[in-house]
Amino acid sequence: MKKVLVFILIGLIIFPNVSIAANQHVMENKDLNEKMTRKELATIGVRLKDLENLVQFYEDKNIFPDVKGWATPYINLAYSFDIMKGTTNDKFEPDANVTYIEFLTVIMRVMGYVDGIDFVKYPEDYYNKALELGLANMYIPYDQTITRGFAYDIITELLTKH
């Protein structure tokens, strides 16, 4: 299961126009040196959980007032299916950069790990769980923002470990 998710994520990050042909908005610029945004991560999480068939039902909802445009249904789905949370109760910050722990947390949630059961205190428990699972590198600060290329490197490393 882990390998399948990793392969899908690699495709989403490296080949967005092939993997995401139906929606060209995600990662419009293929530059791996650019920082990953929260809206991109939400979209990746939704697609990894195979929820994209529900996008049409979440287009008219607007859970977060600061979310507009193409990413709205993906963010709503990511929130509704506990893949991602807002930065506050009424704010998602879709264009904010993704931190290492946010990326790892989404990967773990997609894999089936659950808030309140597998981890409670953010970011400590989440980071420790990622370390325990072999997903994280203890020499990388959990609050470091990541680029698309960095995400690719993490996934490549996962492939060699698992």
Side-chain angles (χ1 to χ4, degrees):
M1 173 84 167
K2 288 181 187 177
K3 286 186 180 183
V4 171
L5 292 175
V6 171
F7 281 118
I8 292 169
L9 189 55
I10 286 173
L12 291 171
I13 292 172
I14 302 298
F15 307 109
N17 288 336
V18 173
S19 304
I20 311 171
N23 187 341
Q24 298 175 16
H25 301 296
V26 177
M27 296 189 201
E28 295 146 351
N29 182 347
K30 296 183 206 178
D31 186 355
L32 295 178
N33 293 319
E34 288 201 18
K35 300 284 185 182
M36 180 178 280
T37 64
R38 287 178 48 82
K39 66 184 171 194
E40 291 170 341
L41 183 57
T43 304
I44 288 169
V46 164
R47 290 184 170 151
L48 286 173
K49 284 292 268 188
D50 197 25
L51 299 171
E52 188 155 21
N53 59 324
L54 300 176
V55 167
Q56 64 185 345
F57 302 110
Y58 285 79
E59 289 175 346
D60 294 332
K61 292 184 177 187
N62 199 351
I63 296 171
F64 298 100
D66 66 333
V67 174
K68 295 180 181 22
W70 69 266
T72 301
Y74 292 95
I75 291 167
N76 291 336
L77 271 165
Y79 177 79
S80 297
F81 283 84
D82 296 322
I83 297 168
M84 286 183 78
K85 298 181 184 301
T87 54
T88 65
N89 286 340
D90 63 347
K91 202 172 198 183
F92 189 83
E93 297 185 44
D95 294 315
N97 293 329
V98 173
T99 63
Y100 187 43
I101 191 60
E102 286 175 315
F103 178 76
L104 293 171
T105 299
V106 167
I107 298 301
M108 289 186 292
R109 287 176 179 154
V110 165
M111 292 171 59
Y113 293 94
V114 180
D115 295 344
I117 295 174
D118 298 301
F119 21 69
V120 178
K121 189 175 180 187
Y122 187 84
E124 295 87 355
D125 289 354
Y126 294 73
Y127 191 61
N128 289 334
K129 186 64 163 183
L131 287 169
E132 175 187 321
L133 295 170
L135 297 175
N137 179 332
M138 66 187 292
Y139 299 107
I140 300 171
Y142 67 84
D143 59 350
Q144 176 178 315
T145 58
I146 64 168
T147 62
R148 295 172 184 157
F150 185 79
Y152 170 78
D153 291 342
I154 293 168
I155 294 164
T156 302
E157 186 176 331
L158 287 174
L159 282 174
T160 59
K161 284 184 177 179
H162 300 283

